[in-house]
Amino acid sequence: MSKSTPFTRYHHELQAKMVDFAGFEMPVQYKGIKQEHQAVRNRAGLFDVSHMGEFVLSGPGSLELIQSLSVNDASLLNPGRAQYTVLCRESGGIVDDLLIYMLSENRYMLVVNAANIEKDYNWIDSRKNADSTLEDVSDTTALLALQGPKSTEILQKLTDRNLAGIRFYHFETGTVAGEPDILISRTGYTGETGYELYIDHNRADAGGIWETILSAGEEFGLEPTGLGARDTLRLEMGYPLYGNDITDETTPFEAGLNWIVKPEKEDFLGRRALLEQKESGVTRILTGFVTEEPRQIPRAGYEIFNSNRSRIGIVTSGTLSITLSKGIGMGYLPLEYASPGQSVLLSIRNRQIPAVITKPPFIK
C-alpha cells in the first residue's frame, strides 16, 4: 500500500491524477502537465515533494563523517548554508545525489531521493563514528516547493523572514502562514526562483500552510503542480535524475558533475577511483540533444546511433520541451559524439530521427 503525505487529501480534492512513486501516492498532474509547466516558468507552481527523505546527523563527529562520504567539501558550510553533493562507492559510482544543510554547529540535515531512503540511511549509518548520531526524520517532515518568478512575492506575504536576503543555496528558519519554525530554503529543481519549505508536521499544520499558500498565490496565477511538470522542468535545465541519468554505474565526472568533486580535501569514499578517472580521462559523458523533427519525443531507453547507424548509446531521460516545443533528452555518449552541434540519430517508433547535440540547459 502506498504511503500518503500530509497533503494527499488536498490532491484528491483537486482531482489530481495520482500515481505510485517510490512507494508514495503522489500527484502526477492536476489540470495538465503543459499548463502546470507554463505556470512555473511564467508565474508560480506549488509542489508536494514530501516523498523525499530527510536525515538529521548530529554530534562532534558529524562533519568528519560527511567529509568521508561526500565528494564535495562540507567544511565550506556554515549554519544557514546548503550544498549539493553525491555519495560514491569505492568504484566512483554514485550511491545518490543529495543536499546537505548545516543547521548549526555539529548538526546537519541530509535530503535524499525518495527511492533511496533506506539504502542511503543504511549506507551512512553503517559508516558513522562513535561521535555522530543519525536520525531518519522523513516520516515527520513535509516538504513543499514553491517555484516560479512570482514565488517571492507570494511567500513574502506569509512570512516574517526577508526573502530577498536569502541567497541561492542558503536558508533561514521562520514563520510561514502563521506556523513557526519552518525551514525556508532558497533551492529548487526547476531552474526558476523558488523556495523549499521543510515542515515538521507533528508540530505545524502542514495542510494549513498548503491551503494558505494557494490562496495567497491566487492573484499571481499560482497553480498546484504535479511530478509530471517537475520532470519536464528539471529536464529543460539538464538537471540529472537519480535512477535515470546518474546511477551506481555512473561517476560524477561522467555525469558532468566535476564542479562538486573536491579531491583536494581529505580522503573520501571513491576518491582514488575518481582521481584515476580524472587522470586517464572519461570515455563517455552525459550529453544533451534536441530533436529536429516536431512531435518526435525521445524517451528513456531509446537507442542512439551515429550517422553510420551504429549504436552509440541510449537515452537516459527524454521528454517534450514545453518551452521549445521540441523533443529534448540526455544520454551517455562516447566523447567523439558529444560536441555541441554534432548530429546523431534517435530510434523513435521504428524510425531514426535526427537530433543535434546541445549542451544543457536547453532553455536560457
Side-chain angles (χ1 to χ4, degrees):
M1 183 176 177
S2 298
K3 293 182 179 180
S4 61
T5 80
F7 312 107
T8 300
R9 76 175 182 90
Y10 300 101
H11 306 322
H12 284 287
E13 289 172 2
L14 292 166
Q15 298 184 317
K17 179 181 178 182
M18 305 294 285
V19 297
D20 180 274
F21 185 84
F24 288 80
E25 185 186 18
M26 299 298 293
V28 69
Q29 64 181 54
Y30 299 84
K31 296 180 180 178
I33 292 174
K34 182 177 180 179
Q35 180 173 333
E36 293 161 26
H37 179 110
Q38 291 174 329
V40 174
R41 286 279 178 252
N42 299 306
R43 303 181 305 278
L46 183 64
F47 302 79
D48 173 11
V49 282
S50 303
H51 59 306
M52 299 293 284
E54 295 85 16
F55 310 146
V56 173
L57 181 64
S58 57
S62 299
L63 179 59
E64 179 185 355
L65 176 61
I66 290 172
Q67 292 290 73
S68 72
L69 298 177
S70 167
V71 304
N72 210 331
D73 187 356
S75 71
L76 301 174
L77 292 174
N78 49 47
R81 283 191 63 187
Q83 184 180 80
Y84 176 69
T85 190
V86 300
L87 310 178
C88 283
R89 299 188 180 277
E90 196 66 66
S91 64
I94 298 172
V95 176
D96 202 6
D97 64 332
L98 66 156
L99 291 180
I100 297 174
Y101 290 82
M102 187 174 182
L103 303 176
S104 59
E105 186 177 1
N106 299 326
R107 187 172 174 83
Y108 300 83
M109 179 171 70
L110 283 56
V111 183
V112 305
N113 285 297
N116 292 337
I117 292 173
E118 184 178 1
K119 178 183 78 170
D120 289 355
Y121 182 87
N122 292 336
W123 185 262
I124 299 165
D125 188 59
S126 66
R127 291 163 175 81
K128 75 176 189 293
N129 48 50
D131 294 324
S132 60
T133 302
L134 184 67
E135 181 184 5
D136 184 354
V137 296
S138 306
D139 288 344
T140 58
T141 305
L143 178 55
L144 292 176
L146 178 62
Q147 302 282 301
K150 297 294 184 181
S151 59
T152 302
E153 291 177 78
I154 295 167
L155 191 59
Q156 193 61 77
K157 296 167 61 176
L158 306 175
T159 182
D160 59 344
R161 301 291 89 186
N162 175 24
L163 298 179
I166 305 177
R167 292 177 289 161
F168 194 43
Y169 271 75
H170 287 67
F171 65 93
E172 293 186 13
T173 300
T175 297
V176 175
E179 297 291 339
D181 301 321
I182 308 302
L183 192 154
I184 306 165
S185 175
R186 175 71 174 80
T187 47
Y189 198 44
T190 65
E192 299 294 337
T193 299
Y195 304 87
E196 293 180 309
L197 307 175
Y198 293 86
I199 306 160
D200 181 344
H201 60 82
N202 281 341
R203 301 172 58 192
D205 179 9
I209 294 174
W210 166 274
E211 290 185 302
T212 304
I213 292 175
L214 282 181
S215 178
E218 194 171 347
E219 65 176 295
F220 298 97
L222 171 67
E223 295 201 21
T225 309
L227 297 184
R230 181 174 164 87
D231 192 56
T232 57
L233 289 158
R234 70 92 189 168
L235 190 46
E236 283 189 341
M237 299 307 298
Y239 295 155
L241 174 66
Y242 192 87
N244 287 51
D245 311 301
I246 50 177
T247 69
D248 285 323
E249 305 301 318
T250 63
T251 73
F253 290 144
E254 292 172 335
L257 297 174
N258 312 45
W259 58 279
I260 65 170
V261 181
K262 303 298 193 310
E264 65 275 8
K265 72 169 189 169
E266 62 263 35
D267 195 27
F268 58 86
L269 199 60
R271 180 176 180 268
R272 182 176 300 177
L274 292 175
L275 283 173
E276 289 175 358
Q277 187 175 62
K278 184 178 182 181
E279 186 173 339
S280 62
V282 297
T283 59
R284 61 173 188 165
I285 192 165
L286 187 61
T287 305
F289 50 80
V290 177
T291 59
E292 293 187 324
E293 293 187 22
R295 296 184 298 279
Q296 296 297 332
I297 304 170
R299 300 294 185 191
Y302 287 7
E303 294 182 308
I304 308 172
F305 298 85
N306 64 14
S307 58
N308 295 325
R309 288 174 165 71
S310 296
R311 183 182 180 277
I312 55 173
I314 64 168
V315 177
T316 55
S317 284
T319 192
L320 172 69
S321 167
I322 292 168
T323 304
L324 301 175
S325 298
K326 292 182 179 181
I328 59 172
M330 298 191 292
Y332 285 88
L333 294 180
L335 292 184
E336 59 264 34
Y337 300 106
S339 298
Q342 285 189 271
S343 296
V344 294
L345 298 168
L346 307 178
S347 180
I348 301 178
R349 299 192 197 94
N350 298 316
R351 291 181 59 203
Q352 292 196 328
I353 304 300
V356 176
I357 300 301
T358 305
K359 184 178 180 180
F362 297 104
I363 64 168
K364 307 304 179 186

